[in-house]
Amino acid sequence: MRRTLTVILGGGAGSRLFPLTKYRAKPAVPLAGKYRLIDVAISNSINSNLRQIFVLTQYLSGSLNRHVAQTYTFDIFSRGFVEILAAEQREEGGRWYQGTADAIRQQWQTLRDFTDIDQFLVLPGDALYHMDYRPLIKQHRESGAEITIAVNTIERKNAHHFGLMALAPDTTVTEFREKPKGDAMNGIEAPAQMLKEFGSDSPPGDTFLASMGVYVFNRDVLERYLVQTDHVDFGKQIIPDAIENYRTQGFIFPGYWEDIGTIQAFFDAHMDLLKEPPAFSFSNPHRPIFTRPRFLPNINITRCDIGRARIAEGSNIEGATINNSIIGLRTRVQEGALIEDSIVMGGDWYEPRDLDGKMTLGVGPDSVIKRCIVDKNARIGRGVKLINEKGLQEAEGDNYIIRDGIIIIPKGVTIPDGTVI
């Protein structure tokens, strides 16, 4: 594994996750109460004994850069590192990354100095999955592939968000269509025999093979594309071209995989964590997901009715009812509050209980929160009802946004006492 370098793409604006990406890059969005999205890709790489990792950042990268720097430190006797490569001005000029491939091109001057590297593992920084990359790299080497793409299944209703492909029986990629819509999907549906390899019982006509955005490139092939072409994107340009000119293989990954690209996907992935058993586990001792240690006190729960929930450390829950919800770090929930089918991300700091009569961080007394995402450092007043009273699918207000019927309270917002949304 020492001859493989990991490159994680963390520079996207994540516009479909707005307003969660209003103040942060998409890979820095909080996940499951205490993690960040970027932790998944980095942890998968570390657990695969791939410990030379670069994270490419660009858009609102301050909190992402800080999180990576504070979390991933190796001892001085290790060859491992997790290092940020940010978009920057150079002597020969500089610009924002124009696409996934252009991000690596602009950092190639640094990456090419690793002369003992034979393969580059390119990963997205915004997906939820457990994956050991060693079988992927092993197949890549043994098959003689020059490019290998990890493949999972996707239903028709969501397929237009992904690169779709067709595989020959030997997993050679024979066709690739980037984010096709409508009739452009026809003829590339996954055959029943291929679905069996994924353990899927979905109807063949409604299921496709999707790129996970996980690639293994031979060094020489990646360098040719970066140096000798002006291609800026893997899915739109490089992969379709590679099918014609290089040995391009698919790697079948049958496990749980969720691309966190939209508010609905973000919400659904969190609700999946609350199932029994959860669709994705953070408690696998053999494949832990790492994050920044915070040294917070135990959770304090007093006179509460709690059904299915995940509550992060440092939280204080007093006389509340919580069901099917995720409660993030340092969350204060006060007497009589009801939280149901929701994600409350918590706070970055503690506040005294009495702020001279001012509203404190967290959820106030007698408030009701249903099917809602409350971002960090929000103040929800007394008797507030976040219930989507009008049943809207899409809406925007002064201090809230509704997407896919889900209420989102942006980071740092205050919802006054008695507000009904």
Side-chain angles (χ1 to χ4, degrees), residues 88-106:
E88 59 188 2
Q89 193 75 27
R90 298 174 181 270
E91 185 176 346
E92 63 272 18
R95 64 188 189 280
W96 289 120
Y97 299 148
Q98 302 302 300
T100 51
D102 187 62
I104 297 178
R105 175 183 289 114
Q106 291 197 44

Side-chain angles (χ1 to χ4, degrees), residues 35-83:
Y35 304 91
R36 305 256 186 166
L37 283 175
I38 192 68
D39 290 329
V40 176
I42 295 176
S43 298
N44 280 338
S45 188
I46 292 172
N47 291 330
S48 301
N49 202 29
L50 296 164
R51 302 193 173 198
Q52 297 181 88
I53 304 167
F54 282 106
V55 181
L56 276 54
T57 68
Q58 173 175 263
Y59 171 85
L60 291 176
S61 61
S63 64
L64 177 60
N65 297 350
R66 185 168 57 252
H67 175 76
V68 171
Q70 291 176 338
T71 305
Y72 299 100
T73 304
F74 295 89
D75 66 68
I76 61 174
F77 301 103
S78 169
R79 296 183 62 191
F81 61 84
V82 181
E83 185 174 327

Side-chain angles (χ1 to χ4, degrees), residues 38 46 54 93 119 152 188 190 196 240 279:
I38 192 68
I46 292 172
F54 282 106
Q119 288 95 28
N152 207 298
I188 202 171
K196 289 180 181 179

Side-chain angles (χ1 to χ4, degrees), residues 201-257:
D201 56 2
S202 300
D206 284 329
T207 309
F208 297 82
L209 302 181
S211 167
M212 296 172 60
V214 173
Y215 311 112
V216 180
F217 280 87
N218 282 357
R219 181 193 187 96
D220 60 332
V221 174
L222 181 60
E223 186 165 20
R224 281 181 213 141
Y225 275 117
L226 299 180
V227 175
Q228 299 178 16
T229 78
D230 58 1
H231 295 336
V232 298
D233 194 84
F234 287 119
K236 293 177 182 177
Q237 296 165 310
I238 289 180
I239 299 304
D241 181 85
I243 293 171
E244 303 296 329
N245 296 290
Y246 295 100
R247 292 188 297 279
T248 306
Q249 297 287 128
F251 174 80
I252 293 174
F253 177 70
Y256 175 86
W257 165 69

Side-chain angles (χ1 to χ4, degrees), residues 131-132 135-136 139 148-152 167 171 249-253:
M131 187 175 184
D132 186 341
L136 165 65
Q139 177 190 300
T148 299
I149 307 168
V151 183
N152 207 298
L167 300 183
T171 73
Q249 297 287 128
F251 174 80
I252 293 174
F253 177 70

